[in-house]
Amino acid sequence: MPINYDSEKKIFKLDSAASSYVFEIFDEGYLVHLYYGAYIPDNNVGMFRDKGMFVSESPCNFKIGEGSFSPDVTPLEFSGEGSGDFRNSCIAVRNADGNNVTDMRYVSHKIYPGKPSLKGMPALFVTDPSQADTLEVTVRDSVTGIEAVLYYTVFNDCGAMARGVKVINPTDKTVYLERIMSCCVDYDTHDYDLITLYGKWSKERSVERSPLAHLTQGISSKRGSSSHHHNPFAALVDREANEDYGSAYGFNLVYSGNFVFDAEVEPFGGVRTVMGINPEGFEWTLEPGGEFVAPEAVTVYSNEGIGGMSRVFHKLYSKHLIRSKWAHVKRPLLINNWEATGMDFTGDQLVTFAERAKELGIDMLVMDDGWFGNRDSDKTALGDWFVNENKLGGPLGDFVKRINDLGIKFGIWFEPEMVSRDSDLYRAHPDWCIHVPGREKSIARHQYVLDFSREDVRDYIYGLMRGIIAENNIAYVKWDCNRYLSEVGSAALPKERQKETFHRYVLGVYDVLGRLTSDFPDLLLEGCASGGGRYDPGMLYYEPQIWCSDNTDPIERLSIQFGTSLCYPASTMGAHVSDSRRAGYETKGNIALWGTFGYELDPNTFTPEEVEIVKNQVNEYHKYYALIHEGELYRLITPDKNHFRAAWMFVSEDKNSALVTSVVMRKQEENNFYLKLKGLDPEKYYVEDESGEVYSGALLMNAGLCLNKYGRMDGDSFKLYFRTL
């Protein structure tokens, strides 16, 4: 069993495929972290408890070693606020006395096969109890009686661990949860680099790497969503770690709202990492008998470098996060009209799109923004989810039938969480948007945010959506979200619970998405938030793919897609060929193929030559689909490390096939360029599909391929497909 408890030493040892995680029940019930890293067979790790760094000013517990124990210099597993540990705490509960001192100690534990779900929250799952084992540890504050259950789930097939916390109030007094972290890991050295994904609109998830220093470094969001600016992912890696070598610890929060990740280097050289809901602007009232479920955190360790860490995340999320039937079912190849028409379109015009799409082998037409209410610009009609029959030339059902009669599936765009100031819904219910009394409501993109913490608001919006989807043959929904939250308050909550609005809003979004996926299990959902502004595991639980970025320039997409791939699999990355002029259709297709693939343009503008290119791309989509969506990714040349070229490859799990792609970002001076492949079987021989040349896996990985005969001008690219003899 991957989780074991040594009752004599009081040590918990959690083993995954490549790692071990060890902590103990120390004196007086303190949970002390001992080890996290490469797999070790034994549990003789008590030496890591005592750092030998006791200082007199640190508060001590005199019940342990006559005052030789201080929480402030001990690697605690679940540190409380104000009880002798001055580093970032995991929990702070303001009690009936008005203080928030919180000191959680061990009470009990249990170990069992499988994994629990989280009520009202997305979380990793198993389809069979044999796929994972779970440890639950109950801790309690002896003064207030408040309890917390710490969850640790080890996945037997992925080498990863899920962490979670549930806070319980079994007392007869109301308390207030002010801070709750989903995971905490202490390291005995800070000799690591911190990797995060920063960005902005149209430039999401760029890779940032910097050495840890004697300060607190971290990322966060207080925008109401995980945001374009910082993704809820972080990694600690050895200073010398690269794609293939070194230790890498990855952290990802299964949450779509305000979050924080902090790495705090202590004066003695260690580092504490915490991840969870951003405590700024957060508080939760725990009435007698109440409980609060924190979002789940995922931790991954790999001793095969950053690439090894990424491949564990990819496998884990493909198998244990995405619940949709489309996780492992081939998805339709779609064309979206947005970049071609904006909101200025007619039903007849879109029918011509579908006609040409059918000729090209495309499976689905998606009608984007502008089909409802008085929606001719972004200033009006959000919330008025009623079909504009004048624009479509009749009822939506008749229009969808025209599309379906061509043999094309139909998809549609919604922005359910928003309301236009100029809309019938806002005029009827101005209190339904997020706001605080007496303050002017900030507006962004001419819209306000509906208060999804309110059940009546959710019921109304979902009722409109459900009617449209149920009454028409809709196969796909693009769920958009085009602004952040400000002046955050809810008219439905009393003043003492206003700080619950942020989290209740996220729970409300999950509620509607849960209803949608339950009522329409065959529906393909794609998430979007001004592009990739809410690209996180919480959304992937409901939506198997997310629009990676509104930036469809192929060269710019390279850094976006490379950064995204640090944590998220190719099957989740919404990527389309657009009308961008920076590269030709061949290169645009090669880059979009690393993702869900589709088109974002007017197909009626194609020249005969472009028609043939697109038809070939459609064939390649089908040929390489399983390899890209189910294979293992190896980043060969990352755009942030090489200013001339980027390259990547996918290798099938059985190592019998591989697809290599390289893109010239700008012309380089050197004449000779060799590309060393990765992930192949050195003992096998591979034939390159186009040339018929045969190479050993050892040659391709150790000597590499000479790329002199391939294009070297800006925007040139190529693909090479290898299969075993």
Side-chain angles (χ1 to χ4, degrees):
M1 198 171 189
I3 300 178
N4 290 285
Y5 176 63
D6 184 329
S7 58
E8 181 178 345
K9 294 183 177 180
K10 296 184 179 181
I11 284 179
F12 298 101
K13 186 166 181 284
L14 296 80
D15 294 322
S16 72
S19 67
S20 293
Y21 188 98
V22 189
F23 66 100
E24 69 175 344
I25 308 167
F26 190 55
D27 295 352
E28 297 298 311
Y30 286 100
L31 293 181
V32 176
H33 179 78
L34 298 175
Y35 176 80
Y36 185 28
Y39 172 78
I40 54 175
D42 53 337
N43 60 10
N44 189 22
V45 291
M47 56 185 163
F48 296 121
R49 177 196 326 116
D50 183 9
K51 296 183 179 181
M53 300 171 184
F54 175 75
V55 289
S56 60
E57 67 267 20
S58 295
C60 303
N61 188 324
F62 272 90
K63 294 181 180 179
I64 303 174
E66 296 182 351
S68 63
F69 173 87
S70 173
D72 194 32
V73 292
T74 302
L76 297 178
E77 189 70 16
F78 191 67
S79 177
E81 182 73 18
S83 54
D85 184 355
F86 297 102
R87 295 161 294 179
N88 276 324
S89 63
C90 296
I91 184 170
V93 179
R94 190 172 79 253
N95 57 46
D97 294 331
N99 68 77
N100 67 355
V101 175
T102 312
D103 187 3
M104 295 292 197
R105 310 284 184 90
Y106 172 84
V107 175
S108 64
H109 74 272
K110 59 182 178 179
I111 301 170
Y112 54 88
K115 181 184 185 299
S117 59
L118 300 186
K119 183 179 180 181
M121 296 279 286
L124 301 183
F125 63 89
V126 294
T127 55
D128 186 282
S130 65
Q131 294 175 331
D133 291 278
T134 296
L135 165 68
E136 290 186 12
V137 180
T138 299
V139 293
R140 179 186 298 135
D141 184 297
S142 61
V143 173
T144 64
I146 300 302
E147 296 181 348
V149 181
L150 315 181
Y151 296 91
Y152 304 78
T153 296
V154 177
F155 290 87
N156 302 325
D157 56 353
C158 293
M161 184 164 58
R163 302 276 299 272
V165 181
K166 179 171 68 175
V167 183
I168 304 167
N169 181 8
T171 75
D172 59 358
K173 297 179 180 178
T174 297
V175 298
Y176 303 91
L177 185 63
E178 297 181 331
R179 178 183 178 91
I180 183 67
M181 294 293 110
S182 298
C183 79
C184 171
V185 182
D186 281 359
Y187 299 86
D188 58 6
T189 177
H190 71 283
D191 193 22
Y192 295 111
D193 285 348
L194 173 65
I195 296 177
T196 57
L197 300 174
Y198 75 96
K200 58 185 177 181
W201 175 77
S202 80
K203 191 64 174 175
E204 297 90 340
R205 291 173 301 286
S206 299
V207 179
E208 182 88 82
R209 180 170 177 168
S210 57
L212 290 180
H214 282 86
L215 43 81
T216 298
Q217 296 161 260
I219 53 172
S220 65
S221 172
K222 57 179 183 179
R223 299 168 182 270
S225 69
S226 47
S227 86
H228 300 79
H229 299 266
H230 291 294
N231 192 266
F233 161 82
L236 296 187
V237 303
D238 289 342
R239 292 277 166 85
E240 304 304 318
N242 59 23
E243 281 289 319
D244 307 301
Y245 304 104
S247 291
Y249 300 85
F251 299 85
N252 203 199
L253 193 65
V254 188
Y255 191 59
S256 308
N258 296 344
F259 75 93
V260 65
F261 173 88
D262 277 331
E264 179 184 4
V265 176
E266 59 186 38
F268 304 112
V271 58
R272 168 169 291 177
T273 59
V274 294
M275 189 175 226
I277 293 176
N278 193 335
E280 187 171 347
F282 169 81
E283 185 176 273
W284 197 267
T285 302
L286 278 175
E287 296 176 341
E291 64 181 38
F292 180 86
V293 179
E296 192 166 80
V298 180
T299 64
V300 165
Y301 170 80
S302 173
N303 59 3
E304 297 180 352
I306 301 166
M309 175 199 70
S310 295
R311 288 186 288 278
V312 174
F313 272 117
H314 297 171
K315 183 178 181 181
L316 178 73
Y317 287 170
S318 295
K319 287 189 172 185
H320 299 294
L321 174 66
I322 301 170
R323 294 201 69 95
S324 167
K325 83 163 197 176
W326 296 101
H328 302 289
V329 173
K330 193 173 184 179
R331 300 173 199 170
L333 195 164
L334 65 84
I335 185 168
N336 184 296
N337 70 292
W338 176 252
E339 289 198 19
T341 68
M343 300 179 196
D344 185 16
F345 62 84
T346 66
D348 289 341
Q349 182 183 16
L350 295 189
V351 169
T352 68
F353 280 31
E355 290 171 341
R356 179 53 64 93
K358 178 64 176 178
E359 295 170 3
L360 297 170
I362 295 171
D363 303 310
M364 178 186 289
L365 173 75
V366 174
M367 180 173 64
D368 211 281
D369 194 356
W371 57 267
F372 54 93
N374 183 29
R375 183 71 166 176
D376 293 318
S377 76
D378 64 2
K379 296 182 179 180
T380 62
L382 284 177
D384 298 341
W385 300 109
F386 304 99
V387 178
N388 186 330
E389 296 188 3
N390 290 330
K391 182 174 286 191
L392 297 186
L396 179 60
D398 292 349
F399 172 69
V400 174
K401 186 176 185 302
R402 294 176 68 189
I403 303 296
N404 292 160
D405 286 348
L406 296 170
I408 296 291
K409 296 179 180 179
F410 180 76
I412 198 167
W413 177 95
F414 283 96
E415 192 171 2
E417 301 161 67
M418 303 295 159
V419 61
S420 298
R421 180 163 53 182
D422 182 6
S423 67
D424 292 340
L425 178 61
Y426 182 71
R427 284 185 283 271
H429 298 283
D431 62 320
W432 276 15
C433 68
I434 294 282
H435 69 284
V436 294
R439 293 196 180 274
E440 183 176 348
K441 295 184 285 292
S442 298
I443 198 160
R445 204 172 181 257
H446 309 289
Q447 62 197 54
Y448 299 131
V449 183
L450 286 172
D451 185 358
F452 262 46
S453 73
R454 295 178 55 157
E455 186 176 10
D456 54 350
V457 173
R458 300 196 303 270
D459 287 348
Y460 176 79
I461 293 297
Y462 183 64
L464 296 179
M465 291 182 66
R466 191 184 190 285
I468 290 168
I469 297 169
E471 294 167 10
N472 301 282
N473 191 22
I474 293 174
Y476 161 106
V477 163
K478 180 179 178 181
W479 178 305
D480 210 344
C481 175
N482 280 304
R483 65 156 292 181
Y484 299 129
L485 279 60
S486 60
E487 293 85 40
V488 176
S490 173
L493 290 174
K495 62 181 181 180
E496 64 271 14
R497 303 189 82 136
Q498 288 297 313
K499 284 189 174 182
E500 299 179 10
T501 307
F502 268 124
H503 183 62
R504 288 185 180 274
Y505 177 87
V506 177
L507 294 180
V509 172
Y510 292 154
D511 172 58
V512 177
L513 283 167
R515 292 194 230 176
L516 192 60
T517 55
S518 177
D519 290 347
F520 303 100
D522 295 330
L523 189 69
L524 174 58
L525 278 172
E526 178 163 321
C528 181
S530 293
R534 196 161 59 183
Y535 204 123
D536 59 66
M539 301 309 288
L540 288 175
Y541 179 83
Y542 305 98
E543 302 165 338
Q545 58 193 55
I546 296 175
W547 185 229
C548 207
S549 177
D550 281 344
N551 188 341
T552 58
D553 176 279
I555 304 304
E556 292 297 324
R557 267 298 183 112
L558 287 171
S559 62
I560 295 170
Q561 292 178 194
F562 266 87
T564 303
S565 74
L566 257 63
C567 186
Y568 305 105
S571 64
T572 69
M573 292 165 50
H576 291 174
V577 175
S578 75
D579 200 30
S580 169
R581 300 299 181 186
R582 196 170 179 191
Y585 278 103
E586 183 175 358
T587 292
K588 289 188 284 191
N590 287 342
I591 294 171
L593 200 59
W594 178 9
T596 59
F597 196 72
Y599 292 88
E600 193 92 16
L601 39 68
D602 183 349
N604 294 305
T605 63
F606 289 143
T607 66
E609 180 184 11
E610 290 168 345
V611 166
E612 294 307 311
I613 293 174
V614 171
K615 286 183 177 180
N616 183 60
Q617 288 175 345
V618 170
N619 291 334
E620 290 179 335
Y621 168 78
H622 295 292
K623 178 179 180 179
Y624 302 130
Y625 183 92
L627 179 55
I628 293 171
H629 284 239
E630 305 292 341
E632 295 186 327
L633 170 70
Y634 291 84
R635 294 177 290 263
L636 304 179
I637 306 174
T638 60
D640 60 321
K641 293 296 183 184
N642 185 300
H643 299 295
F644 303 108
R645 188 183 291 269
W648 63 96
M649 65 184 290
F650 288 94
V651 181
S652 62
E653 191 171 5
D654 60 11
K655 299 189 180 300
N656 285 337
S657 62
L659 180 67
V660 180
T661 307
S662 179
V663 178
V664 177
M665 297 185 292
R666 54 193 62 85
K667 188 179 185 300
Q668 64 189 84
E669 296 178 1
E670 294 83 358
N671 289 324
N672 297 318
F673 191 87
Y674 295 87
L675 182 66
K676 293 182 179 180
L677 308 189
K678 299 177 182 179
L680 303 176
D681 186 335
E683 303 296 326
K684 292 181 177 180
Y685 280 81
Y686 295 83
V687 57
E688 196 273 301
D689 209 33
E690 186 173 341
S691 68
E693 295 286 345
V694 177
Y695 309 91
S696 69
L699 184 151
L700 292 170
M701 292 190 291
N702 297 329
L705 286 169
C706 180
L707 304 186
N708 288 353
K709 68 178 182 178
Y710 299 101
R712 287 183 287 177
M713 302 304 292
D714 294 9
D716 285 349
S717 69
F718 69 85
K719 293 190 303 294
L720 296 177
Y721 176 65
F722 296 88
R723 53 184 171 81
T724 52
L725 289 173

